[in-house]
Amino acid sequence: MADSVDIEKAEERRLEEAPSQTSTEHKFGPDIDLTTFHERVAGRLVVDPEEARIEFGDEIASRLKLSRDRKKVLWPQPTDDPEDPQNWSDGRKAMQLFIVTVAAVIPDFDSGVGIAALFALAKQYDTTTGVINNLTSNWSIFLLGACSPLYLQTIFHSYAVFALAFMVGCTFAPNLKTFAGAFRPFTEFTKSRLTRRYILLAMRCLTAFFGYVPTLSGLYVVTDLYPFHLQARKLNLWTMGFIIAPFLSPFAFGFLVARADWRWSYGVASLYGAFVVFMISFFGEETLYDRSVQPIPPRPGKSLSSRVATLVGITGGRMGKYRPTLLNGLLSHVDCIWRPHLLSVLVFEGILFGFGVGINVTNAVFLGTPPPVGYGFSQYGIAAGYATPIVAVVIGELVGRYTNDWIQNASIRKHNGVFEAEYRLWACYIAIPLYICGFVLLGASFQNHMSVGALVMGWGIAQVAIMINTVAIYAYCNDCFPKQQGEISALINLSRALGGFAVPFFQVPWAESYGALEVFGCEAAIVSGLFLLIVPALQVKGADLRVSASIIRMLWALNVVS
């Protein structure tokens, strides 16, 4: 009896000394599939090689592939296949990141053209800037995200072509009547001027609807190409593309519209879309690599026929047997969004980013409207004003790049070589104070007609905050759901669109009635309240929520639960 007790105590001591090694080997065994292991333990990664040896044991740790400096474990684990995107050369990866970044610029860039032409459109069609905003910019912003879950990623190139075609249609329509003439079935029922305006709305919104696929595909590409410890840095670059996009067109085309017909701005935007289609067609590569399928399906060849088949969707159709069905893809969005840790950050990011969208659309009105509501700037002054957020986004990219890397590395050191997704949220603590300062200063500038320097500082600080926070949310959600990048990208995009499309409807009337300081101050207060309610709670309980969700998903995959 005494011998039995001694044996039990010895076993308990052994478990206390090496708990993670025993539990890991017991759960997964020596035949663990390392290529998909990061998906099974979503949100918690062993990054330090020494800690990996403790947790996994010598046999499994010896099979782990490390970074070039031998200081980090690579997740996902690359295969031995040279065509595995994780094994591509740095130049080949950089080219694909460049393509998906310039492609991500298209939708918001095209949407922002309407901001540059706002006063010109209102003058030509004898209406107000508010009507033009409501009929074009606001609803196109809504469709940029509202239909995100319906996109089919396999025809990425086709969507870009459709978006280009509709943008060309906007460019060459000489007037609203001609615009309506392309849709004769609608004009047969009614000839009203209002209907023609809504046909214009349809053309602009169709451009937005088809143009947003590159933005959704970026998260796929980044995670296909780069290991975990580089993903936040690369996400920073890709995110900069679509955050800076809505400011580029008002800045560049504001000067153009001041000297030429507003259609030239749509024409130049169409040329940019054509450049992106060219880059995708001739230099884009499929980065999807089916690690979870055994044997791994062969990748598309490099011949001309293979490239054409990939571009038009034939290759995607052939690979359909390895992919979820359309119904499963849609249900997967539901499976993600009900998770409390995802739903809460979607609400937080949607409102934060949405108020930033409102600034972009309505600042043209504030800057161009005569006092006491606005500054009464000329077309040149309005265009120059949009240089502020462009510079701010670049600053935000630089700050975010080094901040996220520092948070990641410091967290790994502090937690014995292990990284958990909730550590990404520390960047929000930097973003929110900047957000409050920027919004309050911007509102005070408009209301009290402070100097242009105050206006620039307020707008710039707010945009830096949005950039930092958005990257942190993308990285956090991607870490929590490493196998569902499409769903995550679509849902974040949906939350941003729902949070932002309606803001221009009420921002200017509210400011005219009660002052811009109250408007921007209330918006900053709302975002601050959401931050206090959501982010600290996730940092405390987020790991428990992730683990419970992972267990449910694992049991479902093993048919333990229905």
Side-chain angles (χ1 to χ4, degrees):
M1 185 68 178
D3 291 341
S4 175
V5 173
D6 291 341
I7 292 173
E8 289 179 1
K9 289 183 177 180
E11 180 65 15
E12 289 176 1
R13 282 198 303 270
R14 187 179 70 83
L15 290 174
E16 290 175 358
E17 291 171 0
S20 50
Q21 173 183 341
T22 303
S23 60
T24 302
E25 290 184 346
H26 176 72
K27 279 184 179 180
F28 303 103
D31 297 328
I32 177 178
D33 182 5
L34 293 174
T35 58
T36 59
F37 178 76
H38 67 291
E39 297 173 356
R40 302 179 66 180
V41 291
R44 182 185 185 276
L45 296 175
V46 179
V47 182
D48 182 71
E50 293 303 319
E51 180 64 21
R53 194 168 298 278
I54 295 172
E55 290 223 9
F56 297 110
D58 291 337
E59 180 183 351
I60 295 176
S62 64
R63 293 157 45 195
L64 292 173
K65 296 179 180 179
L66 309 180
S67 59
R68 293 172 186 172
D69 59 8
R70 314 295 295 175
K71 294 182 178 179
K72 292 183 174 66
V73 179
L74 297 178
W75 300 109
Q77 282 282 287
T79 64
D80 295 326
D81 182 4
E83 282 303 302
D84 182 344
Q86 294 281 331
N87 295 327
W88 289 0
S89 66
D90 290 343
R92 191 176 176 186
K93 291 181 179 182
M95 173 59 77
Q96 302 313 307
L97 180 61
F98 170 76
I99 291 173
V100 79
T101 301
V102 297
V105 171
I106 287 181
D108 291 289
F109 182 80
D110 288 352
S111 181
V113 175
I115 298 173
L118 181 65
F119 287 91
L121 286 167
K123 181 178 180 181
Q124 177 160 345
Y125 296 125
D126 191 26
T127 185
T128 65
T129 55
V131 170
I132 295 297
N133 251 347
N134 294 342
L135 291 180
T136 57
S137 297
N138 298 352
W139 283 107
S140 68
I141 291 171
F142 172 74
L143 279 184
L144 285 176
C147 298
S148 296
L150 302 179
Y151 287 126
L152 305 180
Q153 305 297 329
T154 54
I155 51 176
F156 170 19
H157 174 265
S158 301
Y159 273 117
V161 173
F162 283 131
L164 172 60
F166 282 111
M167 199 62 182
V168 171
C170 291
T171 303
F172 289 103
N175 50 48
L176 285 173
K177 183 176 181 179
T178 304
F179 230 120
F183 299 88
R184 293 190 184 281
F186 293 92
T187 56
E188 288 175 1
F189 289 97
T190 177
K191 304 292 184 181
S192 72
R193 185 175 180 182
L194 181 61
T195 300
R196 294 194 186 108
R197 285 180 180 173
Y198 276 98
I199 292 171
L200 169 64
L201 164 65
M203 183 69 79
R204 290 280 286 113
C205 289
L206 286 171
T207 304
F209 175 84
F210 286 104
Y212 224 84
V213 172
T215 304
L216 300 180
S217 302
L219 191 59
Y220 273 119
V221 173
V222 170
T223 52
D224 287 342
L225 293 175
Y226 295 99
F228 154 80
H229 66 279
L230 296 178
Q231 285 176 6
R233 182 182 303 181
K234 305 305 179 182
L235 284 174
N236 220 51
L237 288 168
W238 165 67
T239 305
M240 182 181 70
F242 64 79
I243 290 182
I244 205 172
F247 310 121
L248 290 174
S249 41
F251 173 68
F253 298 145
F255 294 104
L256 179 62
V257 171
R259 288 180 169 271
D261 192 277
W262 58 266
R263 290 183 181 84
W264 279 102
S265 60
Y266 283 87
V268 175
S270 299
L271 291 176
Y272 179 78
F275 164 74
V276 172
V277 170
F278 171 81
M279 293 297 295
I280 296 171
S281 301
F282 291 94
F283 300 101
E285 296 187 62
E286 176 59 73
T287 62
L288 179 60
Y289 195 73
D290 294 281
R291 303 175 190 280
S292 58
V293 178
Q294 296 298 330
I296 296 175
R299 289 178 50 77
K302 296 183 179 180
S303 64
L304 178 60
S305 60
S306 296
R307 174 166 287 275
V308 172
T310 301
L311 288 173
V312 299
I314 295 175
T315 302
R318 292 171 180 168
M319 299 294 287
K321 59 184 177 181
Y322 302 109
R323 312 278 192 261
T325 65
L326 177 60
L327 178 60
N328 288 338
L330 294 175
L331 291 177
S332 181
H333 290 79
V334 179
D335 181 56
C336 289
I337 199 171
W338 75 266
R339 316 287 178 179
H341 53 297
L342 178 61
L343 181 59
S344 58
V345 294
L346 288 180
V347 173
F348 170 54
E349 171 65 14
I351 299 300
L352 179 143
F353 197 97
F355 288 145
V357 172
I359 289 178
N360 182 42
V361 176
T362 59
N363 268 17
V365 179
F366 281 125
L367 294 176
T369 302
V373 175
Y375 274 76
F377 283 2
S378 67
Q379 184 70 49
Y380 293 107
I382 296 172
Y386 276 86
T388 297
I390 294 174
V391 175
V393 171
V394 174
I395 294 173
E397 196 281 332
L398 294 173
V399 172
R401 175 186 303 185
Y402 296 106
T403 299
N404 282 303
D405 281 354
W406 181 82
I407 291 173
Q408 173 182 285
N409 295 329
S411 299
I412 292 171
R413 288 193 302 269
K414 182 178 180 181
H415 297 90
N416 301 319
V418 175
F419 185 86
E420 301 213 20
E422 286 70 29
Y423 304 154
R424 299 285 191 196
L425 298 176
W426 284 112
C428 300
Y429 288 82
I430 300 173
I432 294 303
L434 294 174
Y435 192 90
I436 296 170
C437 293
F439 266 66
V440 171
L441 182 55
L442 184 62
S445 299
F446 281 128
Q447 180 166 319
N448 301 321
H449 297 286
M450 298 169 66
S451 68
V452 175
L455 173 67
V456 168
M457 290 297 294
W459 196 358
I461 292 171
Q463 202 57 52
V464 169
I466 293 171
M467 178 71 192
I468 294 173
N469 197 85
T470 300
V471 173
I473 296 300
Y474 265 104
Y476 169 72
C477 295
N478 183 55
D479 290 345
C480 291
F481 297 88
K483 195 178 179 180
Q484 295 165 298
Q485 290 89 358
E487 292 88 337
I488 292 303
S489 196
L491 290 171
I492 294 179
N493 184 52
L494 174 63
S495 70
R496 293 191 292 113
L498 294 178
F501 90 97
V503 175
F505 284 106
F506 63 77
Q507 222 173 30
V508 174
W510 187 4
E512 290 175 344
S513 300
Y514 297 99
L517 181 58
E518 177 177 315
V519 175
F520 292 108
C522 286
E523 291 174 353
I526 292 170
V527 171
S528 302
L530 288 173
F531 165 76
L532 293 174
L533 287 172
I534 292 170
V535 172
L538 283 180
Q539 289 182 304
V540 174
K541 292 295 184 181
D544 295 334
L545 295 172
R546 281 191 293 101
V547 170
S548 61
S550 299
I551 291 174
I552 292 172
R553 192 178 289 111
M554 186 183 300
L555 294 175
W556 178 80
L558 295 173
N559 294 320
V560 175
V561 297
S562 57

